Every structure is written in C-alpha cells, then in structure tokens.
C-alpha cells in the first residue's frame, strides 16, 4: 500500500505519454486555486465556470470572486442538475454561452460539480473550437476519486450511458475537500463504492485500512478523508497513466460496473451510481468465488465491507434475465466478447474473457432478490 500517512503531500502529478500532464491538488478550501491557476497563465484568459443547479448556488460565486482579480473575465454557466441532462442539448447550451461571450482557443473552462458536470464540461472543452483547456473542480466523493481523473469526457445518448465522448485530459484537478461536508449522506457514501473498488482491485492493505477507519470515514474526519483521497487518487492516477485509452489495465476500473451499469439503467437511475457499483461488486465477487479464485471468507469480507459503508449489495423489482440482456447489450460488449473483471484475491483483479451468459445470469440472480 502507498504509505500515505507519512509526509502526506498536497498533490499527485499524473503523467500522459510519459510526461507530467496535470496535478491533482488536495486542499481544505479554495484558497490555493489562484496559485494553481496562475501556473496556467490565466491573466489574459477568459474563464467560464460550468456548474449545475445544486452545486452552483453553493460555490460558483465564491469561486468567481476569488479568481476574478487574476484573469481577464469570469462568467458562470449553470445547467439543471441530474443524469437526465447529461446529453448533447446541455453541451449545445454551453457552446452557445461560449460563442455569445466570444471565447476563443486561449480561454478556459472550469468544471465545478460532480461526475456529470465534469464529463459534460470536459466534452464541451474537447470539442469547442477543436479543443480548449479545462480544469476539474470535483465536489463529490465519486468525482474526486474517480471521474475527474483520467480524461474520460462525454454524454449519454438516449438510454446508453457515456455513448458519445472523447479522451481529453484536464490541465488541473483541484479538490476542495470541505465540499464533501455539504453532500447528503447517501450521496457521500455512494462515492465509497468507487473507493472500496480501489482496495478490492489494487490494494489489500488499503482495503483493510478502509475497514479499520470506517467510523472516521463515515464521519468525514478531515485527516482520514485526505489520506483516503490521496491513496484512491494515486491508485486511479497510476492506472490511467499506464493505460490512458483503456487498451488494457484501465478496464480493471470497470470492476462492478458490468452488472452495475445494467442495474442503474433498469432501475431508471433511481439508485445512485456508486450504489449500483456496490451491487455490481457483489455480483463480481460472487462470480470470482464461483470460479474458484477467491474463498468464501474473502467473498463474505468484501460484502461485509460494502454493507459497512451503508451501501446496498442487492436490489429488487427487476429480473436477473433483464440484467443479463442489458449487460450483453452494453457498448463495452460490441466486439461480441464479454470483458468481466474478476478478483483473483482481494487487491488483485484480472480481466476475464471467459465469462458465459450463464455466469452473468447466476451472478445477477445473487443480487436481485424479488419476493
Ligand atoms: N471510471 C473508470 C475510468 O475512468 O476508466
């Protein structure tokens, strides 16, 4: 495990094509952001803060006031919160604002919010004038440990999640950890789905640390959170550095997402993403046990940990058969081969291409409990 508690740094640098590409900066507030933005030479640039209707009223004005003295102009573009707005119409409205305010290739977008905001803003940045710079300022746990890192940007298309998008790296990821205090408990804990995933796929010691520090994590104790974010972002950063375009290792980050995405869609987005990942991780751990890779004890430990963070391990009201069909129709299956991420051990995941439809059905049966 990365020994985070000793000399915890305030940043991690992520490389792209073996060169330093952007920093992930950890801070307790927004006080460091001007110093970080100054490194991007913002004095002659216009900045657009893109945010949504829940996060904007909390932080957009504060952020704008802090940055304003150091750049040419700051504007705020706000869209209506929610996965249902993660589409090209929302991106079109961003283009409209940028055109009306005469943004050119030298200008900059700041994505202030959760995963939806980061993905949409990153996609607008990747495509407006064939690419302008953008900065991620994630305000949810899920966005901080996962979606803000690694340059996956995009929108949903009809019922297909993240169907249209681009790999486009941010210039900076700035995390104000205090924003996590304003999250409703359910949304905060949903992010723990991705955090537990990091332990399960890459780091047994970290997984054990999460168990040992459960109370402090649930209470959002600042020092514990900083350590957790540092380790999780380091795991995510190293994986995307090794495989930025998901040709291999990056697929490990999809652990729990195969069944998870199907559940998310079939439950009509009534469950949060991290909750669906938690259910999907139960399915994937169960399959790992059935294949003889992990023991019953390890399977039970994984499920117990997921439950410990008040995340669901099963759901109802949908059919295992539907989950299997939705999984097979997922865009990641277009080559006709199911890529399923399994555990060989806690902290050691593999990409398996030897999973049959029957296996998926059995794992779905484990996590769908209808009366
Ligand atoms: N969220 C998974 C990835 O960034 O690859």
């Amino acid at each position: 495990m990365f020994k985070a508690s000793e000399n915890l740094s305030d940043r991690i640098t992520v490389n792209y094509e073996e060169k330093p590409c952007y920093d992930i900066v950890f801070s307790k507030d927004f006080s460091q952001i001007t110093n970080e933005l100054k490194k991007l030479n913002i004095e002659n640039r216009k900045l657009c803060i893109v945010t949504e209707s829940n996060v904007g009223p909390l932080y957009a004005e504060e952020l704008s006031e802090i940055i304003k003295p150091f750049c040419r102009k700051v504007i705020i573009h706000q869209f209506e919160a929610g996965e249902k707005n993660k589409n090209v119409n929302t991106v079109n409205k961003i283009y409209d604002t940028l055109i009306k305010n005469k943004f050119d290739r030298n200008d900059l977008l700041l994505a202030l919010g959760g995963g939806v905001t980061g993905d949409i803003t990153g996609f607008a940045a990747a495509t407006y004038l064939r690419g302008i710079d953008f900065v991620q300022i994630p305000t949810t746990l899920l966005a901080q440990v996962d979606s803000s890192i690694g340059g996956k940007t995009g929108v949903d298309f009809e019922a297909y999640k993240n169907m249209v998008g681009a790999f486009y790296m941010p210039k900076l990821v700035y995390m104000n950890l205090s924003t996590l205090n304003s999250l409703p408990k359910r949304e905060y804990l949903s992010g723990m789905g991705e955090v537990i995933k990091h332990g399960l796929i890459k780091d047994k010691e970290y997984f054990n640390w999460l168990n040992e520090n459960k109370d402090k994590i649930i209470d959002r104790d600042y020092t514990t959170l900083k350590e957790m974010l540092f380790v999780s972002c380091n795991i995510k950063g190293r994986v995307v550095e090794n495989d930025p375009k998901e040709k291999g290792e990056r697929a490990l980050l999809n652990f729990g997402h195969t069944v998870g995405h199907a559940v998310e869609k079939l439950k009509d987005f009534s469950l949060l993403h991290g909750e669906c990942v938690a259910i999907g991780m139960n399915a994937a751990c169960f399959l790992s046990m059935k294949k003889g890779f992990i023991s019953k004890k390890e399977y039970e430990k994984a499920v117990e940990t997921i439950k410990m963070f008040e995340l669901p391990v099963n759901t109802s009201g949908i059919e295992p058969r539907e989950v299997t069909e939705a999984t097979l129709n997922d865009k990641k299956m277009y080559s006709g081969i199911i890529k399923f991420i399994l555990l060989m051990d806690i902290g050691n995941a593999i990409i398996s291409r030897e999973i049959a439809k029957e296996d998926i059905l059995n794992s779905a049966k484990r996590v769908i409990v209808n009366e």
Side-chain angles (χ1 to χ4, degrees), residues 146-152 162 167 194 197 236 239-240 243-244 246 250-254 257 273:
D146 183 44
S147 58
S148 65
I149 306 165
K152 274 191 183 174
N162 302 326
F167 286 101
E194 300 286 357
K197 179 191 83 177
K236 169 98 198 219
V239 171
V240 299
D243 178 24
E246 200 171 312
R250 187 167 181 166
L252 297 180
L253 296 170
N254 294 331
H257 286 61
H273 178 70

Side-chain angles (χ1 to χ4, degrees), residues 32 86 114 134 149 160 165-166 179 281:
Q32 301 306 313
K86 191 177 168 184
F134 88 110
I149 306 165
Y160 298 92
T179 59
M281 288 196 294

Side-chain angles (χ1 to χ4, degrees), residues 98-243:
L98 299 178
I99 292 166
K100 282 194 177 120
N101 286 278
K102 301 190 167 52
F103 269 57
D104 66 27
R105 255 199 209 132
N106 182 46
D107 296 326
L108 183 73
L109 304 188
L110 306 181
L112 173 69
V116 171
T117 305
D119 284 11
I120 288 182
T121 310
F123 185 62
T127 47
Y128 181 69
L129 296 175
R130 299 195 178 90
I132 64 170
D133 289 348
F134 88 110
V135 167
Q136 291 273 19
I137 309 172
T139 58
T140 65
L141 180 58
L142 200 120
Q144 292 188 350
V145 296
D146 183 44
S147 58
S148 65
I149 306 165
K152 274 191 183 174
T153 74
V155 293
D156 301 338
F157 182 77
E158 295 173 356
Y160 298 92
K161 234 176 115 71
N162 302 326
M163 197 63 190
V164 176
F167 286 101
Y168 194 68
M169 301 302 151
K171 291 291 170 198
L172 165 74
V173 182
Y174 185 94
M175 301 189 185
N176 169 357
L177 270 58
S178 303
T179 59
L180 298 180
N181 293 325
S182 61
L183 292 179
K185 190 174 184 195
R186 183 177 166 204
E187 193 173 342
Y188 168 69
L189 290 176
S190 157
M192 287 306 296
E194 300 286 357
V195 172
I196 297 166
K197 179 191 83 177
H198 288 150
L200 285 173
I201 64 168
K202 281 282 171 190
D203 196 328
K204 191 176 196 160
E205 259 188 78
Y206 181 44
F207 176 81
N208 292 335
W209 181 90
L210 293 172
N211 274 273
E212 285 152 21
N213 288 278
K214 171 216 138 202
D215 291 333
K216 284 196 263 181
I217 294 169
I218 292 181
D219 290 346
R220 306 181 212 188
D221 168 70
Y222 180 76
T223 312
T224 314
L225 271 188
K226 192 172 175 199
E227 185 161 354
M228 181 177 88
L229 278 161
F230 194 84
V231 181
S232 260
C233 292
N234 200 57
I235 290 174
K236 169 98 198 219
R238 299 294 81 98
V239 171
V240 299
E241 222 169 57
N242 291 339
D243 178 24

Side-chain angles (χ1 to χ4, degrees), residues 211 297 299-309 313:
N211 274 273
K297 203 166 148 218
Y299 168 69
E300 285 168 356
K301 180 74 187 161
V303 171
E304 189 194 309
T305 305
I306 297 168
K307 284 184 176 165
M308 203 183 258
F309 289 98
V313 289

